[in-house]
Amino acid sequence: MTSRFWAAGVLAVLLVALITVAAVLVPWHRPPAPRADQLAALGQLPAEQVARARAFHSALRPPAYAGLAVGLLAALAMGLTPLGAGIVSLAGRPFGGNWVARAVLGGLAVVLVVEVVTLPFAAWRHTVVVRYGISTQSWGGWAVDIAKSFAVGAVIGGLALLGFYTVVRLAPRWWWAFAAAGAAGLVVLLSFVVPVLVEPVFNKFTPMSAGPLRTALLELAERDRVPVRDVLVADASRRTRAVNAYVSGLGPTRRIVVYDTMLSQATPDEVVSVVAHELGHSRHNDVRTGTVIGALGTAAGVIALFLLGSWTGLLRLAGVASIGDPRAIGLVLAVATVAGLVGGPAQAFVSRRIEARADAHALELTGDATTFEAMQDRLGAVNLSDPDPPTWEYVWSASHPSTVERMAAARAYARGER
Ligand SMILES: [Zn+2]
C-alpha cells in the first residue's frame, strides 16, 4: 500500500513537471498563418502537382491505416488474451523457464510477432512509394533496412528488458521508482548516442565539402550564434528522392544534417533557408525540449503502468499474476500501443508549434521570404506532400505545418507581420 501511495504521489509530481515544462518550453501562442494567404499559395501551385500529391496520399492511406489497425489488434491480442504470456513461456522453455530467457527472448518474440504481422503493410507502402518515384530502393535494400532496424531494436530493446526485469526482481514492490528513473535516463542517453551509434547504421555521413555553400552555412550559424562544428551530408539518395534536413543529438553530439538529395535538387539559397530553419531548432534547444518532455513522459508512463498493474481484471485477461512478470510483456505492449495512439495527436500538435517557430527563425535570420517560400514549394513538390491536407489527418498526425501554411507564413512575414 505504501509503495502504491508513493507511486501515485510521484506520478502526480511528474505530471505537474511535464505540464510546467511543456507550458514554458513549447511556443503555444503562435499567430496562425492567414488562411487567405494559404489559399492564395494553394491557388498558385501547379494543379497537376497538387493532384499528384493528393493521389499519392490517397494511395498511401490504405496500407498506413490498415497497418495501424492490424498492429493495434495484434498488440491487444498479445496483451488482452493469454497469447502473449504463452509466447513468453514458450521462448523460456528451452532454457528451463529461466527468467532472463523469458524476459529478453520472450519479450523480443512478442514484439517481433507484432512487427511481422504488420510487415505486409510496410511492403504495400513500399510499392506505393516506389510507384510514385519517391523511393529508389530495391526489395533487397528495403529488406536490409528492415533487418537493420530489427537488429537495432533487438539490441536496445533487449538491454531495456534485461534492465527492467532485473530491477523488478531486486525490488518487487518499489521497482516502479528505479524503472521510471532508468527509463528517463535511457531517453536522455539515446538522444546523445543515436546520432553517433544508430544513424550511421542506416546512412553514411560526410562533412559537406569545402566551397561557397559550406562557407555560407557556417557563416550563417556564426551570425546566429549557434556553435556548429560541421554540416554533415547524408547519402539519402541510396534509398529516396525525397529532400530533407534535420538536427539531432545533444551537446557534443549535436549535428545539422542535410540530405544529399537536397544538394542536388535545391538551389544554394534554398539550402541556406533550410539550414536557417534547422539553426532555429538548435537556437531554441528543441532537441533538448523533446528529450526532457520524452524523459518525463516515459517516467510517468512507467509509474502509470505499475499502478495499472493492480487492476486484476486486466491481469486476468492476460493470464498473468503480476504486471512485473515477464509473461505480462504482451500486456505492457498493448498498453504502450494504445497510449502511443492516444498521445499521437498531442505530440503532433507540439511538434507543429515547434516547427512553426523554427520557420519564423529562418525568416528572421535570412530575411528572405521569397527564397523561403520557393524552398517550401520545392520541398512539397519533390516529397509529394499534400500542400493542404484534410483537417482530420493534419490533426491526427502532421508533425509540420502544411506547405501552404508555411508559404503563408512567409507571405505574412514579407508584409511585416511578425
Ligand atoms: Zn524542423
Side-chain angles (χ1 to χ4, degrees):
M1 196 61 205
T2 343
S3 173
R4 272 179 56 202
F5 173 79
W6 277 101
V10 173
L11 177 59
V13 170
L14 282 174
L15 290 178
V16 170
L18 187 63
I19 290 166
T20 310
V21 166
V24 172
L25 295 181
V26 176
W28 298 103
H29 302 290
R30 298 211 66 81
R35 187 63 187 160
D37 286 325
Q38 294 182 36
L39 292 175
L42 184 62
Q44 252 169 284
L45 294 174
E48 71 275 18
Q49 177 186 319
V50 176
R52 187 168 155 75
R54 290 194 166 149
F56 175 55
H57 284 275
S58 296
L60 277 179
R61 270 176 210 125
Y65 293 110
L68 206 64
V70 168
L72 174 64
L73 286 176
L76 292 178
M78 287 295 154
L80 302 185
T81 76
L83 190 60
I87 291 175
V88 172
S89 294
L90 203 64
R93 197 168 294 165
F95 306 89
N98 177 283
W99 74 269
V100 176
R102 281 188 167 193
V104 178
L105 298 180
L108 292 179
V110 167
V111 176
L112 188 65
V113 168
V114 176
E115 295 279 356
V116 167
V117 169
T118 53
L119 211 49
F121 301 96
W124 184 358
R125 180 184 190 284
H126 181 66
T127 63
V128 176
V129 289
V130 167
R131 180 150 42 93
Y132 278 84
I134 293 288
S135 174
T136 54
Q137 240 180 345
S138 66
W139 282 109
W142 176 81
V144 168
D145 266 6
I146 300 246
K148 281 180 180 174
S149 57
F150 276 14
V152 168
V155 171
I156 297 173
L159 289 171
L161 286 164
L162 184 62
F164 177 69
Y165 289 107
T166 302
V167 165
V168 172
R169 281 175 75 82
L170 293 177
R173 290 179 57 233
W174 295 90
W175 60 258
W176 58 268
F178 302 100
L186 186 64
V187 170
V188 175
L189 180 71
L190 286 177
S191 282
F192 277 104
V193 302
V194 162
V196 281
L197 290 184
V198 176
E199 288 173 10
V201 172
F202 297 92
N203 278 101
K204 220 170 80 199
F205 298 87
T206 40
M208 182 180 281
S209 48
L213 181 57
R214 180 189 155 88
T215 308
L217 295 179
L218 291 178
E219 269 173 17
L220 188 74
E222 201 176 298
R223 189 150 59 79
D224 204 16
R225 298 194 305 281
V226 174
V228 170
R229 272 181 306 272
D230 221 337
V231 177
L232 299 178
V233 179
D235 62 341
S237 57
R238 56 192 293 227
R239 66 170 69 87
T240 186
R241 287 198 184 87
V243 299
N244 199 7
Y246 66 89
V247 48
S248 68
L250 281 172
T253 65
R254 180 162 79 182
R255 69 257 329 272
I256 287 177
V257 176
V258 179
Y259 277 19
D260 58 353
T261 46
M262 171 84 94
L263 298 181
S264 57
Q265 300 264 358
T267 68
D269 277 354
E270 288 169 4
V271 176
V272 167
S273 196
V274 166
V275 169
H277 167 101
E278 302 307 329
L279 289 172
H281 286 310
S282 287
R283 188 69 196 276
H284 293 105
N285 287 311
D286 291 338
V287 175
R288 192 183 67 191
T289 300
T291 304
V292 171
I293 290 177
L296 287 171
T298 308
V302 168
I303 299 178
L305 189 72
F306 169 78
L307 292 170
L308 207 63
S310 50
W311 183 355
T312 47
L314 213 53
L315 297 178
R316 208 174 307 127
L317 283 177
V320 297
S322 141
I323 192 88
D325 180 345
R327 293 175 73 248
I329 189 75
L331 183 56
V332 174
L333 181 68
V335 171
T337 304
V338 171
L341 283 178
V342 171
Q347 221 171 359
F349 182 83
V350 167
S351 172
R352 288 195 299 272
R353 289 302 159 103
I354 287 174
E355 294 298 339
R357 176 169 65 184
D359 279 351
H361 183 88
L363 287 166
E364 291 286 342
L365 182 60
T366 61
D368 185 354
T370 312
T371 302
F372 183 90
E373 190 178 329
M375 182 268 288
Q376 293 303 338
D377 182 359
R378 183 184 311 273
L379 226 57
V382 174
N383 296 349
L384 289 182
S385 317
D386 185 340
D388 192 28
T391 307
W392 63 272
E393 199 162 62
Y394 177 86
V395 169
W396 168 257
S397 64
S399 63
H400 287 65
S402 67
T403 299
V404 295
E405 276 184 301
R406 302 177 87 174
M407 293 170 79
R411 289 172 184 212
Y413 174 85
R415 281 197 305 269
E417 294 168 22
R418 301 290 138 90

